[in-house]
Amino acid sequence: MLVHQILKSKGNDGVLTINPKSTIEEAIGILAERRIGGLVVSSDGASARGIISERDIVRTMALRGQGCLKDKVEDIMTRNPVCCKRQDTSESVLIKMTDGRFRHMPVVEEGKLVGIVTIGDVVKARLMELSMEKDALQGMIMGH
Ligand code: AMP
């Protein structure tokens, strides 16, 4: 399955981003309200300058305590995140996520942010693909 098919199956309600100058407290508010684990950091909604995930926040809280809540997202985000394209396969994205040990990946086309896929989206797509392959192979063996 290709990334654009995953995006389509998720529905097309745009990409949620946070400004690099926003505070960590604001990021926590969005993550909690939207029940998500990560946000693309962008000042214009089009470029993926960074990514901030719950892991970054937990790590910073452990190091600095509540004092970090007023810090800026850009202070703790991961810069230049690994991105994928709409034509990439779910398999290639899964490999990049596993190798890099992260669960979020912005989808960027011609320098413009067009979506985000999570490890959950990609695993779901791979399972569906493998199940279809299994059914097809079973059909061939049974002579259907
Ligand atoms: P996650 O597993 O996505 O919650 O992120 C784990 C760590 O990897 C955090 O430090 C994130 O900022 C970072 N991270 C998340 N997504 C990416 C990505 N696409 N490229 C590079 N780093 C990332």
Side-chain angles (χ1 to χ4, degrees):
M1 197 179 279
L2 302 177
V3 165
H4 73 85
Q5 293 169 308
I6 299 176
L7 289 179
K8 200 171 163 200
S9 72
K10 283 173 49 152
N12 196 10
D13 47 0
V15 198
L16 198 57
T17 60
I18 189 162
N19 193 284
K21 301 285 179 205
S22 296
T23 62
I24 294 174
E25 193 168 24
E26 286 168 313
I28 291 175
I30 299 171
L31 294 176
E33 190 192 325
R34 297 300 194 105
R35 296 173 174 271
I36 53 175
L39 282 165
V40 178
V41 185
S42 175
S43 40
D44 56 5
S47 60
R49 270 180 57 184
I51 193 151
I52 182 168
S53 99
E54 54 201 1
R55 289 215 180 152
D56 300 311
I57 296 169
V58 167
R59 208 178 299 135
T60 309
M61 288 280 277
L63 285 172
R64 308 210 324 96
Q66 285 188 17
C68 74
L69 291 176
K70 301 289 173 211
D71 288 356
K72 304 250 181 311
V73 162
E74 66 185 356
D75 297 335
I76 71 162
M77 70 183 187
T78 301
R79 285 162 198 274
N80 305 316
V82 178
C83 299
C84 61
K85 289 185 184 323
R86 290 161 52 84
Q87 287 302 325
D88 286 344
T89 62
S90 56
E91 194 176 359
S92 74
V93 171
L94 200 50
I95 290 171
K96 282 187 196 169
M97 284 181 168
T98 311
D99 287 349
R101 293 172 186 267
F102 47 74
R103 299 164 295 177
H104 299 86
M105 200 180 285
V107 186
V108 173
E109 210 63 57
E110 290 170 5
K112 204 164 169 271
L113 181 67
V114 295
I116 184 167
V117 285
T118 68
I119 200 159
D121 300 328
V122 185
V123 167
K124 189 174 160 197
R126 273 306 280 155
L127 287 177
M128 226 150 81
E129 230 167 27
L130 291 171
S131 160
M132 274 159 37
E133 276 173 29
K134 188 196 95 186
D135 290 348
L137 285 171
Q138 257 174 357
M140 282 166 65
I141 293 163
M142 311 281 244
H144 297 153

